Amino acid sequence: MKLKKLYAVLCATALTFTLAGCSGGEKKEESKAPAVKVMEGDKLASIEKDDKEKEKYLVIDVRTPEEYKEGHVKHAVNIPLEKISENIEKISAWKEKEVVTYCNTGKKSQKAAEQLIKAGFKNVSNAKGVKEFTYDLVKYNNILAADFQKVIDSTEKVYLFDARDKKDYDEKHIKDAVLVNAKELDKLAEVLPKEKDAKIYTYCYSGNRSAVIAKKATELGYTNVTNVLDGTKEHQYKF
């Protein structure tokens, strides 16, 4: 009888350790995938206002192109929720960096953030939507380096504006690009095309000066203005 009791105790002990081991394994497996972080609206707004700080983040507006065009966060690129998966490779350089998603209410952007986590992105935050926080919105488009290189390589009729220093412009610039000064916005109207729907692209070192030019162009009534977020300091374009 004693041997039977001892055997029962040993079996129970072994079972306990087995279950504990399985439970620990499951927890360890779950901890591998980072969680989507929450970002308050004032945090994102402060990042967008800081020219240096914004370079540490890729901000993605996951709304429709129509909603994006109506007004979006200053340095955000537009990748609609349903196109996140097909754009993973384009933004893969940000897998180890900070990525922020947002939409109108935070629902679509949460789904987009979860897709990015599954795709291997390590630091993803979902920010307050534009209907939940009062951001300073702009109406020009933003693109990344790969898309701008396609513009440079194409034969499409576009107007290019270089907002860098004159010495750098003189050394090397995109063919037909016009030099503009972000501190002399009153002169911008003199060099802009007459057609308000003309395709305009602005670029500089890091997307900051060119953003000033892009914003002014939209204020002057131009409806097809695009700023390049990856400037010549961040990407070696093939001019």
Side-chain angles (χ1 to χ4, degrees), residues 2 35 80 93 108-109 145 147 151 164 169 200 204 218 226 235 237:
K2 290 182 179 180
K108 286 186 176 181
S109 51
D147 291 321
V151 173
R164 298 175 301 159
Y169 173 86
I200 295 172
C204 63
T218 59
T226 300
H235 187 81
Y237 293 99

Side-chain angles (χ1 to χ4, degrees), residues 146-210:
D147 291 321
F148 187 44
Q149 188 63 59
K150 291 178 182 177
V151 173
I152 296 172
D153 296 338
S154 75
T155 57
E156 183 182 19
K157 177 61 177 177
V158 298
Y159 294 86
L160 302 168
F161 294 92
D162 187 325
R164 298 175 301 159
D165 293 336
K166 186 177 184 303
K167 61 180 179 62
D168 295 314
Y169 173 86
D170 290 340
E171 181 179 335
K172 190 176 184 181
H173 62 268
I174 302 172
K175 182 182 178 182
D176 298 326
V178 176
L179 179 66
V180 290
N181 191 330
K183 294 181 179 180
E184 297 180 350
L185 295 178
D186 56 318
K187 297 181 180 180
L188 185 60
E190 299 173 9
V191 296
L192 289 173
K194 294 180 180 180
E195 306 85 358
K196 294 296 184 179
D197 61 347
K199 292 185 178 181
I200 295 172
Y201 289 85
T202 62
Y203 71 95
C204 63
Y205 299 108
S206 58
N208 294 322
R209 295 185 190 182
S210 53

Side-chain angles (χ1 to χ4, degrees), residues 17 26 36 38 46 48 55 86 107 115 127 193 201 204 208:
F17 279 112
E26 289 175 359
V36 175
V38 176
S46 67
E48 294 294 271
E55 294 180 22
E86 65 188 70
K107 293 180 180 179
Q115 285 188 40
Y201 289 85
C204 63
N208 294 322

Side-chain angles (χ1 to χ4, degrees), residues 34 42 86 105 121 141 146 159 163 193 206 215 217 220 239:
D42 55 354
E86 65 188 70
T105 62
F121 287 76
N141 186 31
Y159 294 86
S206 58
K215 183 180 180 182
L220 290 172
F239 289 175

